Structures are given as structure tokens and as C-alpha cells.
Amino acid sequence: MIYIIIFFSAILVLVLLSKNNTKKFANDPTYKTIYSGKKILVIDDNEINIKATRNILTIYGFSVDYFMSGEELKNANIDLNQYCIIMIDELMPNMNGIDTLNMLRMKTDNLPPVIALTTEDKLEAKLKLINNGFTDVLSKPIKNEDLDVVLFQLFK
């Protein structure tokens, strides 16, 4: 019984910290001025993941465009160089993240940094994505702290 109480107390603390962290970022004008006007392209087959990713990125001031698959993007006529970052879900049906990245490389020689989005948290899986050409990897759901590290590396 005591373990159940401790478990649910820990979950409550994590939820409250997460909400406070998001409020901190939402109320900090620094992020919106640093990244305002910059565009990010997100490719993910899950609408909920797209909404979550878009929500966190707009808190930072980014403008976000998205596609539901690599195949959808393949048929689109867009200038990939208008984006400062492209984020691609690693696991998508038909055309996975690595296949999508390779397709994008064929569209342009000057691809912006490409971040893999993954539910996998193991180092080996992240290294595989880096070795396949991704600039960096973020675990889903995206945490502000992790995004800060990636953005610092890209915009330093």
C-alpha cells in the first residue's frame, strides 16, 4: 500500500514539475525573440505527436509546418531551405525516418540540420540514427531541457 502511495505521489510531482516548466518557457520572452521567424518542418505520421511537437516549438517562437509522411512530402513542391531545422519521426509506415532523410537528400544538396524524433531511449538506437545522417536525436515526448541542448548546439 505504501508503495502505491509513493508511486502516485512521484507521478503527481513529475506532472506538476512538467506544467511549471512549460509555464516558465511560455512566459520567457527570450525564447520567442531568439527563434521568432524561424521555421521548422516536422514529418510525423501521428497527429497527436505533431500537435505536441508543434506546441513546444511554438512556445519557443518557431513557426511550424508539417507533413504526415515522407511520401506526402516527396510529392510536395516546397523549398526545404526555408527551414532552419527538419524533424523526422523515426518510425513511420512505408517510408521510415531514414528513408525520408535519404529522399530529402536527393531533393537538395543544401539540407538544413535534420533531427530524428524517436521513442527509443537506448544509446545504440540513437547512434544508429546519427550514423545514418541525422544531425541529432530527440526522444518523444520532447522535453524542454533536451530541446534546449539541441538548439544550443545548432544556433551557437
Side-chain angles (χ1 to χ4, degrees):
M1 180 69 170
I2 190 75
Y3 294 113
I4 294 172
I5 293 171
I6 292 171
F7 175 75
F8 284 110
S9 297
I11 289 178
L12 179 62
V13 167
L14 289 173
V15 168
L16 291 173
L17 286 174
S18 173
K19 285 184 179 179
N20 287 339
N21 194 26
T22 302
K23 285 180 186 175
K24 178 183 104 178
F25 283 92
N27 294 325
D28 187 347
T30 307
Y31 287 99
K32 289 195 176 182
T33 56
I34 293 173
Y35 305 116
S36 180
K38 295 186 184 315
K39 293 179 77 171
I40 293 182
L41 177 63
V42 176
I43 302 120
D44 196 318
D45 64 316
N46 185 304
E47 232 175 288
I48 293 170
N49 288 339
I50 288 174
K51 281 184 179 181
T53 303
R54 186 181 336 147
N55 286 344
I56 194 169
L57 292 172
T58 54
I59 287 171
Y60 280 72
F62 289 105
S63 172
V64 180
D65 293 337
Y66 68 91
F67 285 89
M68 297 292 292
S69 70
E71 292 170 329
E72 186 181 314
L73 177 59
K74 182 179 184 178
N75 299 323
N77 187 20
I78 63 166
D79 177 14
L80 295 171
N81 295 314
Q82 67 180 310
Y83 300 102
C84 64
I85 300 171
I86 298 174
M87 295 182 166
I88 303 175
D89 180 23
E90 168 199 16
L91 295 175
M92 295 184 289
N94 301 324
M95 187 182 277
N96 66 28
I98 294 170
D99 294 338
T100 302
L101 174 59
N102 290 331
M103 178 270 301
L104 292 176
R105 282 191 185 126
M106 293 171 62
K107 281 188 160 222
T108 182
D109 292 331
N110 193 18
L111 203 59
V114 182
I115 308 301
L117 301 175
T118 183
T119 56
E120 187 66 55
D121 208 21
K122 294 181 181 170
L123 182 60
E124 301 87 38
K126 291 182 177 185
L127 286 174
K128 176 187 172 200
L129 293 166
I130 297 288
N131 289 334
N132 276 285
F134 285 94
T135 309
D136 212 329
V137 180
L138 283 170
S139 294
K140 295 188 288 187
I142 298 172
K143 297 178 187 79
N144 294 73
E145 307 83 41
D146 298 338
L147 183 59
D148 281 342
V149 170
V150 169
L151 294 176
F152 178 77
Q153 291 295 324
L154 294 176
F155 293 105
K156 60 181 174 181

